[in-house]
Amino acid sequence: MMELYTDSSPNGFKATIALAELGLPYRLRHVRIEQGEHRLPAFLTLNPHGRIPVLVDHDTGITVFESAAILLYLAEKTGRLLPAQPQLRWAAITWLQFHAASMGPMLGQRVHFEIADAGANVSTTAHFRHLCDAALATMDGRLTDHAYLAGDDYSIADIASFGWLHIARIVGFDFSAWRHVAAWYARVAARPAVQLGITLPAPATGA
């Protein structure tokens, strides 16, 4: 049995979507960030950085934190959601890391400065909007000739990217300028496992 410690967040949704796609049994542990539960000593023994999600695999004795690492762990454990052919496999890993380095953090900062901070810092808000636009343009270019980020097959790279774009949609960011991203988003959002994953442990509200 595995345990997933998570909250309703873009990074948490990556893990819940992957587990739903793989049909793996696990116990869901709701870590309520707004109540400071991610800073409690018991949680910090699992992730000393105090961030969700955390996956504990009792079958192997392995604990994994950071959402990209969890996606890689689940893909390796099951032999799914990560292509076996080397060129496609490394395409999936490359776009997973693109998201982790250049998409997720930039969207997170944009949400903070543009939504939570109500755009009070004009230059910083514009800076992160520019970085997000550049990342989306890069992603859009990749999807011009590919159904998914790794190629023709859905992978952990798509799951990672969807988590943050789902939240960005909820808070009202407009992606219509990137039509290939918009079409990809619709394809991924239609998957039953994705629809389930974004409701666990509770749906995000954008509040």
Side-chain angles (χ1 to χ4, degrees), residues 42-184:
F43 184 76
L44 292 174
T45 63
L46 302 174
N47 181 356
H49 195 43
R51 297 180 61 191
I52 60 93
V54 175
L55 183 73
V56 180
D57 189 340
H58 293 288
D59 290 338
T60 62
I62 294 173
T63 297
V64 187
F65 58 85
E66 293 294 342
S67 55
I70 290 172
L71 290 175
L72 282 167
Y73 180 80
L74 292 172
E76 290 285 347
K77 181 181 178 74
T78 61
R80 295 169 58 194
L81 296 176
L82 187 60
Q85 197 274 337
Q87 186 173 2
L88 298 176
R89 180 184 183 85
W90 282 104
I93 293 171
T94 296
W95 286 98
L96 172 67
Q97 296 305 320
F98 168 81
H99 171 80
S102 302
M103 179 70 78
M106 299 307 107
L107 279 168
Q109 293 296 322
R110 181 179 168 187
V111 168
H112 173 78
F113 286 104
E114 190 167 327
I115 304 299
D117 204 34
N121 189 321
V122 175
S123 62
T124 302
T125 301
H127 173 70
F128 284 109
R129 187 182 296 129
H130 171 73
L131 292 176
C132 287
D133 287 354
L136 284 164
T138 300
M139 186 176 173
D140 198 68
R142 171 64 177 177
L143 293 168
T144 300
D145 298 315
H146 301 87
Y148 298 103
L149 289 168
D152 294 331
D153 295 328
Y154 176 76
S155 75
I156 56 175
D158 302 290
I159 294 174
S161 296
F162 184 86
W164 259 109
L165 290 180
H166 172 65
I167 294 299
R169 278 285 183 89
I170 287 176
V171 301
F173 291 172
D174 181 12
F175 300 141
S176 60
W178 299 280
R179 63 187 184 91
H180 300 296
V181 171
W184 165 89

